[in-house]
């Protein structure tokens, strides 16, 4: 059974760095055709893709947020970590991690609501 | 980069058919596969169509996907509407740099 679970702080202050961890089970981060992506959704708004990392360790970032994002994986511990620097209240959102199979986000975590406020 | 534009909302009666469009702003819609996700309130999205027109296991054949190069758009068609189909629907594709792009989402009301 494939599962993904996000973990990280519920509240961060402006200018701080956010670190989120996605712990996966039911598949290996070294499987070809697979990767893990981070996607966020501000309250009441649309989904926004942030970054993904593939089994080859290739990394891809949203053009508009690239300077603030970093994604990495720990295959042995089945975890993918996203860091976002210089957090702002507009970054308040539910952050999802999702498995990529070929072109599809086929399994999603439940999401982690992060609020940015002083 | 390109944008995917969806209608903000659509509504239709139970038993009817609804079509949700997703128009690509630049580049050909046929260049990169389109996926469709359904998101119920407070839940994570789930896939209803992948690779333009493929249905995941467990998604009923009332759901179908297509692309139209003449309008440079993808469509999600839901026939025999049920109240349980009420949700937000998002299209998604990739650009040639392997960056994912989501549409703005369409709120489907079944009334």
């Amino acid at each position: 059974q494939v599962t993904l679970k996000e973990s990280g702080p519920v509240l961060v202050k402006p200018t701080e760095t956010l670190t989120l961890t996605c712990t996966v089970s039911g598949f290996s981060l070294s499987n070809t055709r697979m990767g893990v992506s981070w996607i966020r959704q501000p309250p009441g708004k649309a989904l926004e893709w942030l970054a993904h990392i593939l089994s080859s360790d290739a990394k891809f970032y949203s053009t508009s947020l690239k300077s603030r994002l970093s994604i990495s994986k720990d295959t042995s511990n089945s975890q993918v970590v996203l860091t976002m620097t210089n957090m702002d209240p507009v970054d308040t959102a539910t952050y999802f991690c999702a498995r990529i199979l070929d072109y599809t986000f086929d399994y999603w975590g439940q999401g982690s609501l992060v609020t940015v406020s002083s | 980069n390109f944008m995917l534009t969806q209608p903000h909302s659509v509504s239709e009666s139970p038993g009817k058919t609804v079509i949700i469009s997703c128009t690509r702003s630049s580049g050909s819609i046929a260049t990169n596969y389109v996926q469709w996700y359904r998101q119920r309130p407070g839940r994570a999205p789930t896939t209803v169509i992948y690779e333009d027109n493929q249905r995941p296991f467990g998604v009923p054949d009332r759901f179908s996907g297509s692309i139209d190069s003449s309008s440079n758009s993808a469509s999600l068609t839901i026939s025999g509407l049920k109240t349980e189909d009420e949700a937000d629907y998002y299209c998604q594709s990739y650009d040639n740099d392997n960056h994912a792009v989501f549409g703005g989402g369409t709120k489907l009301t079944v009334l």
Side-chain angles (χ1 to χ4, degrees), chain B residues 18-46:
Chain B
V18 71
I19 300 174
I20 299 173
S21 62
C22 171
T23 302
R24 179 166 167 160
S25 62
S26 62
S28 171
I29 191 72
T31 300
N32 308 94
Y33 284 126
V34 176
Q35 283 63 240
W36 290 91
Y37 302 92
R38 173 176 60 195
Q39 186 180 32
R40 295 189 168 115
R43 306 293 297 274
T46 60

Side-chain angles (χ1 to χ4, degrees), chain A residues 5-108:
Chain A
K5 186 171 176 61
E6 306 88 353
S7 59
V10 174
L11 180 67
V12 298
K13 291 182 167 55
T15 76
E16 287 186 341
T17 294
L18 171 68
T19 300
L20 291 169
T21 301
C22 177
T23 303
V24 310
S25 64
F27 70 101
S28 170
L29 295 175
S30 61
N31 283 3
T32 55
R33 295 173 62 206
M34 291 182 188
V36 171
S37 193
W38 285 95
I39 296 150
R40 72 178 180 179
Q41 185 172 39
K45 296 190 177 181
L47 300 168
E48 178 185 18
W49 173 75
L50 300 176
H52 55 239
I53 187 165
L54 305 182
S55 58
S56 63
D57 209 38
K59 301 166 187 177
F60 301 87
Y61 298 99
S62 163
T63 302
S64 61
L65 293 168
K66 182 174 182 176
S67 63
R68 300 174 52 204
L69 295 173
S70 178
I71 192 169
S72 62
K73 65 184 174 86
D74 179 347
T75 302
S76 59
N77 286 314
S78 296
Q79 292 182 328
V80 174
V81 175
L82 180 79
T83 62
M84 180 180 289
T85 62
N86 195 24
M87 293 292 284
D88 184 271
V90 301
D91 297 313
T92 294
T94 297
Y95 287 75
F96 296 98
C97 60
R99 188 180 81 166
I100 305 162
L101 174 62
D102 291 331
Y103 306 96
T104 304
F105 301 118
D106 66 337
Y107 286 90
W108 295 63

Side-chain angles (χ1 to χ4, degrees), chain B residues 11 13 22 37 61 89 93-94:
Chain B
S11 62
S13 303
C22 171
Y37 302 92
D61 60 6
Y89 290 83
S93 188
Y94 289 90

